[in-house]
Amino acid sequence: SDFNSLFNTMLVLIEKYTWCIASDTQSGINDIPLYDHLKTTSAIALSSYRYQMEFDKVTQKRIKDGNEELQFLVIGGDLSGIQSFIYNLGANKSGAKRLRARSFYIKTLTEILSYKIIKELSLTPANIVMQAGGKFHIIAPNIESTRSKLFALEKELTNELYNKFKGEIFIALDMVEVSGKG
């Protein structure tokens, strides 16, 4: 009924059926799955489109010439303090269960934070290119609205995490401008 549901369903189906297919079979040995190639291409295409729309004109010439422009932001997020959070178990018989539960909690918290960011920036789950170990990377368009929303979001997330964990866990967000030139 809505685009996000359709996109998420398609992303899961594409992963299910293309995770073990090589993305390039023409040039020697390739170890990049077709799923990863399609997902990353989708993220780059959406970010490039949003960047180009900032100029109110998307043309083939502009897209080809835009390879020199810093049209992408790679947003990096890092949850700090997770080691002490996970291993601060105390003396308890069920230490292994608590360790797994806290690890799962951190994994879920990382996913929630990255999904909150892409929702605020009107991006798709394909824009999350890496998510592991309390860290995530997101490809976004390098436009002013992205930057301003990200700064406001960083303050909001920092306050929420401080209120919940009293400084034990906090988030650090940063961004790097990159071009489309390979």
mmCIF file with all atom_site columns, all heavy atoms in Angstrom, residues 160-180:
data_model
loop_
_atom_site.group_PDB
_atom_site.id
_atom_site.type_symbol
_atom_site.label_atom_id
_atom_site.label_alt_id
_atom_site.label_comp_id
_atom_site.label_asym_id
_atom_site.label_entity_id
_atom_site.label_seq_id
_atom_site.pdbx_PDB_ins_code
_atom_site.Cartn_x
_atom_site.Cartn_y
_atom_site.Cartn_z
_atom_site.occupancy
_atom_site.B_iso_or_equiv
_atom_site.pdbx_formal_charge
_atom_site.auth_seq_id
_atom_site.auth_comp_id
_atom_site.auth_asym_id
_atom_site.auth_atom_id
_atom_site.pdbx_PDB_model_num
ATOM 1   N N   . GLU A 1 160 ? 18.520 11.625 23.934 1.00 0.00 ? 160 GLU A N   1
ATOM 2   C CA  . GLU A 1 160 ? 17.765 10.407 24.225 1.00 0.00 ? 160 GLU A CA  1
ATOM 3   C C   . GLU A 1 160 ? 18.656 9.340  24.852 1.00 0.00 ? 160 GLU A C   1
ATOM 4   O O   . GLU A 1 160 ? 18.262 8.691  25.823 1.00 0.00 ? 160 GLU A O   1
ATOM 5   C CB  . GLU A 1 160 ? 17.105 9.867  22.956 1.00 0.00 ? 160 GLU A CB  1
ATOM 6   C CG  . GLU A 1 160 ? 15.911 10.654 22.498 1.00 0.00 ? 160 GLU A CG  1
ATOM 7   C CD  . GLU A 1 160 ? 15.288 10.090 21.229 1.00 0.00 ? 160 GLU A CD  1
ATOM 8   O OE1 . GLU A 1 160 ? 15.495 8.896  20.916 1.00 0.00 ? 160 GLU A OE1 1
ATOM 9   O OE2 . GLU A 1 160 ? 14.588 10.854 20.543 1.00 0.00 ? 160 GLU A OE2 1
ATOM 10  N N   . LEU A 1 161 ? 19.845 9.150  24.281 1.00 0.00 ? 161 LEU A N   1
ATOM 11  C CA  . LEU A 1 161 ? 20.755 8.135  24.825 1.00 0.00 ? 161 LEU A CA  1
ATOM 12  C C   . LEU A 1 161 ? 21.260 8.519  26.213 1.00 0.00 ? 161 LEU A C   1
ATOM 13  O O   . LEU A 1 161 ? 21.417 7.663  27.079 1.00 0.00 ? 161 LEU A O   1
ATOM 14  C CB  . LEU A 1 161 ? 21.932 7.904  23.875 1.00 0.00 ? 161 LEU A CB  1
ATOM 15  C CG  . LEU A 1 161 ? 21.591 7.167  22.585 1.00 0.00 ? 161 LEU A CG  1
ATOM 16  C CD1 . LEU A 1 161 ? 22.800 7.126  21.657 1.00 0.00 ? 161 LEU A CD1 1
ATOM 17  C CD2 . LEU A 1 161 ? 21.090 5.763  22.860 1.00 0.00 ? 161 LEU A CD2 1
ATOM 18  N N   . TYR A 1 162 ? 21.496 9.813  26.438 1.00 0.00 ? 162 TYR A N   1
ATOM 19  C CA  . TYR A 1 162 ? 21.936 10.244 27.760 1.00 0.00 ? 162 TYR A CA  1
ATOM 20  C C   . TYR A 1 162 ? 20.839 9.995  28.800 1.00 0.00 ? 162 TYR A C   1
ATOM 21  O O   . TYR A 1 162 ? 21.110 9.507  29.894 1.00 0.00 ? 162 TYR A O   1
ATOM 22  C CB  . TYR A 1 162 ? 22.340 11.720 27.773 1.00 0.00 ? 162 TYR A CB  1
ATOM 23  C CG  . TYR A 1 162 ? 22.835 12.145 29.124 1.00 0.00 ? 162 TYR A CG  1
ATOM 24  C CD1 . TYR A 1 162 ? 24.119 11.826 29.541 1.00 0.00 ? 162 TYR A CD1 1
ATOM 25  C CD2 . TYR A 1 162 ? 22.005 12.841 30.001 1.00 0.00 ? 162 TYR A CD2 1
ATOM 26  C CE1 . TYR A 1 162 ? 24.574 12.187 30.796 1.00 0.00 ? 162 TYR A CE1 1
ATOM 27  C CE2 . TYR A 1 162 ? 22.448 13.199 31.257 1.00 0.00 ? 162 TYR A CE2 1
ATOM 28  C CZ  . TYR A 1 162 ? 23.735 12.872 31.648 1.00 0.00 ? 162 TYR A CZ  1
ATOM 29  O OH  . TYR A 1 162 ? 24.167 13.219 32.902 1.00 0.00 ? 162 TYR A OH  1
ATOM 30  N N   . ASN A 1 163 ? 19.614 10.324 28.454 1.00 0.00 ? 163 ASN A N   1
ATOM 31  C CA  . ASN A 1 163 ? 18.510 10.103 29.388 1.00 0.00 ? 163 ASN A CA  1
ATOM 32  C C   . ASN A 1 163 ? 18.300 8.622  29.683 1.00 0.00 ? 163 ASN A C   1
ATOM 33  O O   . ASN A 1 163 ? 17.957 8.251  30.801 1.00 0.00 ? 163 ASN A O   1
ATOM 34  C CB  . ASN A 1 163 ? 17.216 10.717 28.852 1.00 0.00 ? 163 ASN A CB  1
ATOM 35  C CG  . ASN A 1 163 ? 17.268 12.224 28.838 1.00 0.00 ? 163 ASN A CG  1
ATOM 36  O OD1 . ASN A 1 163 ? 18.002 12.841 29.612 1.00 0.00 ? 163 ASN A OD1 1
ATOM 37  N ND2 . ASN A 1 163 ? 16.502 12.833 27.949 1.00 0.00 ? 163 ASN A ND2 1
ATOM 38  N N   . LYS A 1 164 ? 18.519 7.773  28.689 1.00 0.00 ? 164 LYS A N   1
ATOM 39  C CA  . LYS A 1 164 ? 18.305 6.332  28.863 1.00 0.00 ? 164 LYS A CA  1
ATOM 40  C C   . LYS A 1 164 ? 19.481 5.665  29.584 1.00 0.00 ? 164 LYS A C   1
ATOM 41  O O   . LYS A 1 164 ? 19.279 4.835  30.470 1.00 0.00 ? 164 LYS A O   1
ATOM 42  C CB  . LYS A 1 164 ? 18.088 5.688  27.495 1.00 0.00 ? 164 LYS A CB  1
ATOM 43  C CG  . LYS A 1 164 ? 17.984 4.198  27.490 1.00 0.00 ? 164 LYS A CG  1
ATOM 44  C CD  . LYS A 1 164 ? 16.638 3.740  27.943 1.00 0.00 ? 164 LYS A CD  1
ATOM 45  C CE  . LYS A 1 164 ? 16.537 2.231  27.786 1.00 0.00 ? 164 LYS A CE  1
ATOM 46  N NZ  . LYS A 1 164 ? 15.482 1.660  28.541 1.00 0.00 ? 164 LYS A NZ  1
ATOM 47  N N   . PHE A 1 165 ? 20.704 6.014  29.210 1.00 0.00 ? 165 PHE A N   1
ATOM 48  C CA  . PHE A 1 165 ? 21.883 5.302  29.713 1.00 0.00 ? 165 PHE A CA  1
ATOM 49  C C   . PHE A 1 165 ? 22.776 6.132  30.635 1.00 0.00 ? 165 PHE A C   1
ATOM 50  O O   . PHE A 1 165 ? 23.803 5.640  31.080 1.00 0.00 ? 165 PHE A O   1
ATOM 51  C CB  . PHE A 1 165 ? 22.726 4.789  28.538 1.00 0.00 ? 165 PHE A CB  1
ATOM 52  C CG  . PHE A 1 165 ? 21.997 3.815  27.666 1.00 0.00 ? 165 PHE A CG  1
ATOM 53  C CD1 . PHE A 1 165 ? 21.492 4.201  26.440 1.00 0.00 ? 165 PHE A CD1 1
ATOM 54  C CD2 . PHE A 1 165 ? 21.805 2.514  28.081 1.00 0.00 ? 165 PHE A CD2 1
ATOM 55  C CE1 . PHE A 1 165 ? 20.813 3.312  25.635 1.00 0.00 ? 165 PHE A CE1 1
ATOM 56  C CE2 . PHE A 1 165 ? 21.125 1.604  27.290 1.00 0.00 ? 165 PHE A CE2 1
ATOM 57  C CZ  . PHE A 1 165 ? 20.626 2.012  26.063 1.00 0.00 ? 165 PHE A CZ  1
ATOM 58  N N   . LYS A 1 166 ? 22.407 7.378  30.888 1.00 0.00 ? 166 LYS A N   1
ATOM 59  C CA  . LYS A 1 166 ? 23.168 8.262  31.788 1.00 0.00 ? 166 LYS A CA  1
ATOM 60  C C   . LYS A 1 166 ? 24.644 8.363  31.408 1.00 0.00 ? 166 LYS A C   1
ATOM 61  O O   . LYS A 1 166 ? 25.528 8.353  32.248 1.00 0.00 ? 166 LYS A O   1
ATOM 62  C CB  . LYS A 1 166 ? 23.046 7.794  33.238 1.00 0.00 ? 166 LYS A CB  1
ATOM 63  C CG  . LYS A 1 166 ? 21.621 7.683  33.730 1.00 0.00 ? 166 LYS A CG  1
ATOM 64  C CD  . LYS A 1 166 ? 20.904 9.007  33.644 1.00 0.00 ? 166 LYS A CD  1
ATOM 65  C CE  . LYS A 1 166 ? 19.484 8.876  34.166 1.00 0.00 ? 166 LYS A CE  1
ATOM 66  N NZ  . LYS A 1 166 ? 18.548 9.695  33.439 1.00 0.00 ? 166 LYS A NZ  1
ATOM 67  N N   . GLY A 1 167 ? 24.917 8.430  30.117 1.00 0.00 ? 167 GLY A N   1
ATOM 68  C CA  . GLY A 1 167 ? 26.274 8.632  29.629 1.00 0.00 ? 167 GLY A CA  1
ATOM 69  C C   . GLY A 1 167 ? 27.075 7.368  29.430 1.00 0.00 ? 167 GLY A C   1
ATOM 70  O O   . GLY A 1 167 ? 28.211 7.421  28.966 1.00 0.00 ? 167 GLY A O   1
ATOM 71  N N   . GLU A 1 168 ? 26.520 6.214  29.771 1.00 0.00 ? 168 GLU A N   1
ATOM 72  C CA  . GLU A 1 168 ? 27.246 4.961  29.591 1.00 0.00 ? 168 GLU A CA  1
ATOM 73  C C   . GLU A 1 168 ? 27.411 4.625  28.104 1.00 0.00 ? 168 GLU A C   1
ATOM 74  O O   . GLU A 1 168 ? 28.431 4.115  27.685 1.00 0.00 ? 168 GLU A O   1
ATOM 75  C CB  . GLU A 1 168 ? 26.514 3.818  30.310 1.00 0.00 ? 168 GLU A CB  1
ATOM 76  C CG  . GLU A 1 168 ? 27.290 2.528  30.340 1.00 0.00 ? 168 GLU A CG  1
ATOM 77  C CD  . GLU A 1 168 ? 26.589 1.434  31.137 1.00 0.00 ? 168 GLU A CD  1
ATOM 78  O OE1 . GLU A 1 168 ? 25.441 1.628  31.578 1.00 0.00 ? 168 GLU A OE1 1
ATOM 79  O OE2 . GLU A 1 168 ? 27.209 0.380  31.303 1.00 0.00 ? 168 GLU A OE2 1
ATOM 80  N N   . ILE A 1 169 ? 26.385 4.911  27.313 1.00 0.00 ? 169 ILE A N   1
ATOM 81  C CA  . ILE A 1 169 ? 26.422 4.717  25.868 1.00 0.00 ? 169 ILE A CA  1
ATOM 82  C C   . ILE A 1 169 ? 26.062 6.047  25.208 1.00 0.00 ? 169 ILE A C   1
ATOM 83  O O   . ILE A 1 169 ? 25.100 6.694  25.612 1.00 0.00 ? 169 ILE A O   1
ATOM 84  C CB  . ILE A 1 169 ? 25.413 3.643  25.415 1.00 0.00 ? 169 ILE A CB  1
ATOM 85  C CG1 . ILE A 1 169 ? 25.798 2.278  25.978 1.00 0.00 ? 169 ILE A CG1 1
ATOM 86  C CG2 . ILE A 1 169 ? 25.333 3.580  23.895 1.00 0.00 ? 169 ILE A CG2 1
ATOM 87  C CD1 . ILE A 1 169 ? 24.799 1.195  25.636 1.00 0.00 ? 169 ILE A CD1 1
ATOM 88  N N   . PHE A 1 170 ? 26.842 6.443  24.218 1.00 0.00 ? 170 PHE A N   1
ATOM 89  C CA  . PHE A 1 170 ? 26.511 7.652  23.471 1.00 0.00 ? 170 PHE A CA  1
ATOM 90  C C   . PHE A 1 170 ? 26.857 7.444  22.004 1.00 0.00 ? 170 PHE A C   1
ATOM 91  O O   . PHE A 1 170 ? 27.573 6.509  21.653 1.00 0.00 ? 170 PHE A O   1
ATOM 92  C CB  . PHE A 1 170 ? 27.213 8.893  24.046 1.00 0.00 ? 170 PHE A CB  1
ATOM 93  C CG  . PHE A 1 170 ? 28.709 8.802  24.081 1.00 0.00 ? 170 PHE A CG  1
ATOM 94  C CD1 . PHE A 1 170 ? 29.476 9.310  23.048 1.00 0.00 ? 170 PHE A CD1 1
ATOM 95  C CD2 . PHE A 1 170 ? 29.360 8.216  25.163 1.00 0.00 ? 170 PHE A CD2 1
ATOM 96  C CE1 . PHE A 1 170 ? 30.852 9.230  23.087 1.00 0.00 ? 170 PHE A CE1 1
ATOM 97  C CE2 . PHE A 1 170 ? 30.732 8.133  25.203 1.00 0.00 ? 170 PHE A CE2 1
ATOM 98  C CZ  . PHE A 1 170 ? 31.483 8.635  24.156 1.00 0.00 ? 170 PHE A CZ  1
ATOM 99  N N   . ILE A 1 171 ? 26.305 8.305  21.174 1.00 0.00 ? 171 ILE A N   1
ATOM 100 C CA  . ILE A 1 171 ? 26.507 8.170  19.733 1.00 0.00 ? 171 ILE A CA  1
ATOM 101 C C   . ILE A 1 171 ? 27.375 9.307  19.215 1.00 0.00 ? 171 ILE A C   1
ATOM 102 O O   . ILE A 1 171 ? 27.258 10.447 19.651 1.00 0.00 ? 171 ILE A O   1
ATOM 103 C CB  . ILE A 1 171 ? 25.158 8.136  18.975 1.00 0.00 ? 171 ILE A CB  1
ATOM 104 C CG1 . ILE A 1 171 ? 25.377 7.786  17.513 1.00 0.00 ? 171 ILE A CG1 1
ATOM 105 C CG2 . ILE A 1 171 ? 24.404 9.449  19.116 1.00 0.00 ? 171 ILE A CG2 1
ATOM 106 C CD1 . ILE A 1 171 ? 24.119 7.406  16.772 1.00 0.00 ? 171 ILE A CD1 1
ATOM 107 N N   . ALA A 1 172 ? 28.263 8.938  18.303 1.00 0.00 ? 172 ALA A N   1
ATOM 108 C CA  . ALA A 1 172 ? 29.076 9.929  17.604 1.00 0.00 ? 172 ALA A CA  1
ATOM 109 C C   . ALA A 1 172 ? 28.727 9.824  16.122 1.00 0.00 ? 172 ALA A C   1
ATOM 110 O O   . ALA A 1 172 ? 28.777 8.736  15.546 1.00 0.00 ? 172 ALA A O   1
ATOM 111 C CB  . ALA A 1 172 ? 30.555 9.648  17.826 1.00 0.00 ? 172 ALA A CB  1
ATOM 112 N N   . LEU A 1 173 ? 28.325 10.929 15.535 1.00 0.00 ? 173 LEU A N   1
ATOM 113 C CA  . LEU A 1 173 ? 28.001 10.979 14.109 1.00 0.00 ? 173 LEU A CA  1
ATOM 114 C C   . LEU A 1 173 ? 28.994 11.888 13.409 1.00 0.00 ? 173 LEU A C   1
ATOM 115 O O   . LEU A 1 173 ? 29.378 12.928 13.936 1.00 0.00 ? 173 LEU A O   1
ATOM 116 C CB  . LEU A 1 173 ? 26.583 11.516 13.876 1.00 0.00 ? 173 LEU A CB  1
ATOM 117 C CG  . LEU A 1 173 ? 25.424 10.639 14.296 1.00 0.00 ? 173 LEU A CG  1
ATOM 118 C CD1 . LEU A 1 173 ? 24.104 11.373 14.066 1.00 0.00 ? 173 LEU A CD1 1
ATOM 119 C CD2 . LEU A 1 173 ? 25.419 9.327  13.554 1.00 0.00 ? 173 LEU A CD2 1
ATOM 120 N N   . ASP A 1 174 ? 29.382 11.500 12.212 1.00 0.00 ? 174 ASP A N   1
ATOM 121 C CA  . ASP A 1 174 ? 30.258 12.333 11.404 1.00 0.00 ? 174 ASP A CA  1
ATOM 122 C C   . ASP A 1 174 ? 29.911 12.098 9.945  1.00 0.00 ? 174 ASP A C   1
ATOM 123 O O   . ASP A 1 174 ? 29.242 11.129 9.603  1.00 0.00 ? 174 ASP A O   1
ATOM 124 C CB  . ASP A 1 174 ? 31.726 12.001 11.662 1.00 0.00 ? 174 ASP A CB  1
ATOM 125 C CG  . ASP A 1 174 ? 32.668 13.120 11.257 1.00 0.00 ? 174 ASP A CG  1
ATOM 126 O OD1 . ASP A 1 174 ? 32.178 14.224 10.902 1.00 0.00 ? 174 ASP A OD1 1
ATOM 127 O OD2 . ASP A 1 174 ? 33.888 12.914 11.303 1.00 0.00 ? 174 ASP A OD2 1
ATOM 128 N N   . MET A 1 175 ? 30.361 12.986 9.085  1.00 0.00 ? 175 MET A N   1
ATOM 129 C CA  . MET A 1 175 ? 30.079 12.840 7.662  1.00 0.00 ? 175 MET A CA  1
ATOM 130 C C   . MET A 1 175 ? 31.302 13.245 6.857  1.00 0.00 ? 175 MET A C   1
ATOM 131 O O   . MET A 1 175 ? 32.080 14.100 7.275  1.00 0.00 ? 175 MET A O   1
ATOM 132 C CB  . MET A 1 175 ? 28.860 13.649 7.268  1.00 0.00 ? 175 MET A CB  1
ATOM 133 C CG  . MET A 1 175 ? 29.003 15.134 7.475  1.00 0.00 ? 175 MET A CG  1
ATOM 134 S SD  . MET A 1 175 ? 27.458 15.978 7.209  1.00 0.00 ? 175 MET A SD  1
ATOM 135 C CE  . MET A 1 175 ? 27.036 16.380 8.880  1.00 0.00 ? 175 MET A CE  1
ATOM 136 N N   . VAL A 1 176 ? 31.450 12.591 5.706  1.00 0.00 ? 176 VAL A N   1
ATOM 137 C CA  . VAL A 1 176 ? 32.546 12.876 4.797  1.00 0.00 ? 176 VAL A CA  1
ATOM 138 C C   . VAL A 1 176 ? 31.948 13.091 3.415  1.00 0.00 ? 176 VAL A C   1
ATOM 139 O O   . VAL A 1 176 ? 31.125 12.307 2.958  1.00 0.00 ? 176 VAL A O   1
ATOM 140 C CB  . VAL A 1 176 ? 33.549 11.682 4.748  1.00 0.00 ? 176 VAL A CB  1
ATOM 141 C CG1 . VAL A 1 176 ? 34.637 11.929 3.730  1.00 0.00 ? 176 VAL A CG1 1
ATOM 142 C CG2 . VAL A 1 176 ? 34.129 11.412 6.112  1.00 0.00 ? 176 VAL A CG2 1
ATOM 143 N N   . GLU A 1 177 ? 32.374 14.156 2.754  1.00 0.00 ? 177 GLU A N   1
ATOM 144 C CA  . GLU A 1 177 ? 31.929 14.434 1.392  1.00 0.00 ? 177 GLU A CA  1
ATOM 145 C C   . GLU A 1 177 ? 32.743 13.599 0.424  1.00 0.00 ? 177 GLU A C   1
ATOM 146 O O   . GLU A 1 177 ? 33.963 13.529 0.535  1.00 0.00 ? 177 GLU A O   1
ATOM 147 C CB  . GLU A 1 177 ? 32.118 15.908 1.050  1.00 0.00 ? 177 GLU A CB  1
ATOM 148 C CG  . GLU A 1 177 ? 31.310 16.865 1.878  1.00 0.00 ? 177 GLU A CG  1
ATOM 149 C CD  . GLU A 1 177 ? 31.615 18.308 1.543  1.00 0.00 ? 177 GLU A CD  1
ATOM 150 O OE1 . GLU A 1 177 ? 32.778 18.625 1.165  1.00 0.00 ? 177 GLU A OE1 1
ATOM 151 O OE2 . GLU A 1 177 ? 30.706 19.127 1.638  1.00 0.00 ? 177 GLU A OE2 1
ATOM 152 N N   . VAL A 1 178 ? 32.062 12.962 -0.536 1.00 0.00 ? 178 VAL A N   1
ATOM 153 C CA  . VAL A 1 178 ? 32.743 12.172 -1.548 1.00 0.00 ? 178 VAL A CA  1
ATOM 154 C C   . VAL A 1 178 ? 32.120 12.460 -2.903 1.00 0.00 ? 178 VAL A C   1
ATOM 155 O O   . VAL A 1 178 ? 30.976 12.881 -3.010 1.00 0.00 ? 178 VAL A O   1
ATOM 156 C CB  . VAL A 1 178 ? 32.721 10.657 -1.245 1.00 0.00 ? 178 VAL A CB  1
ATOM 157 C CG1 . VAL A 1 178 ? 33.509 10.323 -0.011 1.00 0.00 ? 178 VAL A CG1 1
ATOM 158 C CG2 . VAL A 1 178 ? 31.298 10.152 -1.113 1.00 0.00 ? 178 VAL A CG2 1
ATOM 159 N N   . SER A 1 179 ? 32.903 12.190 -3.955 1.00 0.00 ? 179 SER A N   1
ATOM 160 C CA  . SER A 1 179 ? 32.395 12.381 -5.312 1.00 0.00 ? 179 SER A CA  1
ATOM 161 C C   . SER A 1 179 ? 32.015 11.033 -5.896 1.00 0.00 ? 179 SER A C   1
ATOM 162 O O   . SER A 1 179 ? 32.260 9.997  -5.306 1.00 0.00 ? 179 SER A O   1
ATOM 163 C CB  . SER A 1 179 ? 33.474 13.054 -6.179 1.00 0.00 ? 179 SER A CB  1
ATOM 164 O OG  . SER A 1 179 ? 34.501 12.128 -6.439 1.00 0.00 ? 179 SER A OG  1
ATOM 165 N N   . GLY A 1 180 ? 31.441 11.064 -7.075 1.00 0.00 ? 180 GLY A N   1
ATOM 166 C CA  . GLY A 1 180 ? 31.073 9.835  -7.747 1.00 0.00 ? 180 GLY A CA  1
ATOM 167 C C   . GLY A 1 180 ? 32.177 9.276  -8.616 1.00 0.00 ? 180 GLY A C   1
ATOM 168 O O   . GLY A 1 180 ? 32.024 8.260  -9.265 1.00 0.00 ? 180 GLY A O   1
#
